[in-house]
Amino acid sequence: MAAPDITTDHGSAAHSAAPVLQLAGLSWGVGGATIVEDITLDVREGEFLAFIGPNGAGKTSLFNLISGLTTATSGTLALDGTDLTGRPAHVRARRGIGRTFQTSSLWPGMSVADHVRLAAQAAGGGSYRVWRRASPYTDEVRGVLERTGLGHRAGALASELSHGEKRKLELAVLLVGEPRLMLLDEPMAGVSAEEVPALTELIRTLHRDEGRTVLMVEHHMDVLLGLADRLAVMHHGRLLALDTPEAVTADPTVQQAYLGEGL
C-alpha cells in the first residue's frame, strides 16, 4: 500500500490553516523492540483526528510521546512551529498540550469543584498541591462545570460520580487550562451505554462549537465516525492509513489488517 496521504483536503477550514502539531519520523523503542515507528503527520487548527487500531498497535504510546511522558528515540515534534522534541511533559502542558488517560486520575475524596479549582490554580502558575487550599476561581470554575454538564454536581465527591460523569470531570480539568491541543485517550472506557451519547455530544461541542483541536483514541467506531475529520489507523506501531473516515473504512488494506473486524 502507498504511504498514507497526510495532506488530503476534506473541505473544512481546519485543513487550510497552518499545522498546530507536526510530527516527523517520530519513533520510540525499548529493549530492542520498536513500539512506535516513523510517524509523520500534521494536525491542523480545529481538526478532529481519531486514532484506531488493534490493542498493542502503539496508539497510547504515541500519545505518551506527544504529551512528553515518553521521550522519542528519533524524530521531531513541533507545536505551532516550536520544536518541543525532548522537552518534558510539564513544559508541553504549559505550551498547550492537554491530556486525559484511559484510567481515571481523579482524587476520590475531593469534590468536583475542587478538582477544577486546583487545575485552574495550576494553569495560572499557582500551586497544584492537594494539601493546600485551592484559590477561589469561582466564575471560571462555575463556567467550566456548566459547559461540561457538571454544574449541579459541583459539591459531589469524585467517588460519587458515575463513570460518565468522571470522564466529564476529566474534561473539565483539562479545559480550565485552555489547551491548544486536546489528547483524549479512550474517553468512553468504562462508560455505560446510556452515558455514551451525552459524553459524545460534549466532545462534539468542544470540537465544533468551540473550535478545539482534538486527537482521540477510541474503540467505539460508531462514536468516531460521527466525530472525526480524519482517521489514522495504527498497526504494529506504524501508520497504516490516514484519510477521511469513509476512505479508511473502505480501504481493503485496513480491512485485512483487522482480519475482518468491523470498522
Side-chain angles (χ1 to χ4, degrees):
M1 180 183 179
D5 178 7
I6 65 171
T7 60
T8 301
D9 185 352
H10 303 303
S12 70
H15 297 277
S16 61
V20 173
L21 179 70
Q22 294 175 290
L23 308 181
L26 204 65
S27 302
W28 175 66
V30 59
T34 300
I35 311 300
V36 175
E37 184 174 3
D38 195 27
I39 303 296
T40 297
L41 59 84
D42 289 352
V43 179
R44 303 285 173 169
E45 177 82 30
E47 182 175 15
F48 197 120
L49 176 60
F51 289 82
I52 63 172
N55 290 330
K59 305 181 296 298
T60 293
S61 294
L62 178 60
F63 271 29
N64 289 342
L65 289 171
I66 295 172
S67 60
L69 294 181
T70 304
T71 302
T73 51
S74 62
T76 60
L77 179 151
L79 184 72
D80 287 323
T82 300
D83 187 0
L84 296 182
T85 308
R87 302 306 300 273
H90 73 274
V91 171
R92 298 187 192 199
R94 292 282 179 162
R95 289 281 187 169
I97 297 179
R99 167 84 184 272
T100 66
F101 296 84
Q102 293 179 21
T103 56
S104 176
S105 56
L106 303 174
W107 294 82
M110 183 182 291
S111 75
V112 167
D114 280 344
H115 273 89
V116 182
R117 286 194 187 101
L118 280 171
Q121 187 169 314
S127 171
Y128 201 3
R129 297 172 182 170
V130 298
W131 58 85
R132 289 188 179 180
R133 183 180 178 84
S135 299
Y137 289 76
T138 307
D139 292 339
E140 186 176 10
V141 170
R142 182 184 299 112
V144 169
L145 291 179
E146 290 296 335
R147 283 161 61 198
T148 53
L150 292 173
H152 66 297
R153 301 288 272 160
L157 300 180
S159 61
E160 299 170 346
L161 303 181
S162 67
H163 283 296
E165 289 174 328
K166 288 178 180 178
R167 294 304 189 185
K168 289 180 179 180
L169 178 53
E170 289 162 0
L171 286 172
V173 168
L174 186 64
L175 286 170
V176 80
E178 292 296 331
R180 188 83 173 87
L181 179 69
M182 296 174 59
L183 308 181
L184 309 182
D185 195 355
E186 296 196 35
M188 305 298 164
V191 177
S192 69
E194 292 78 12
E195 292 181 297
V196 166
L199 185 55
T200 301
E201 189 57 35
L202 172 58
I203 295 171
R204 189 195 317 278
T205 297
L206 295 176
H207 170 233
R208 295 185 180 175
D209 295 353
E210 298 190 11
R212 300 283 176 180
T213 305
V214 181
L215 274 63
M216 186 163 121
V217 171
E218 185 54 58
H219 288 288
H220 287 70
M221 282 301 301
D222 55 335
V223 169
L224 292 182
L225 292 177
L227 292 174
D229 296 312
R230 290 191 295 169
L231 286 183
V233 184
M234 292 191 67
H235 193 60
H236 296 308
R238 297 184 64 89
L239 196 59
L240 181 66
L242 177 58
D243 210 326
T244 63
E246 296 79 11
V248 167
T249 54
D251 190 321
T253 304
V254 173
Q255 294 174 356
Q256 182 179 8
Y258 275 82
L259 299 176
E261 293 182 23
L263 292 177

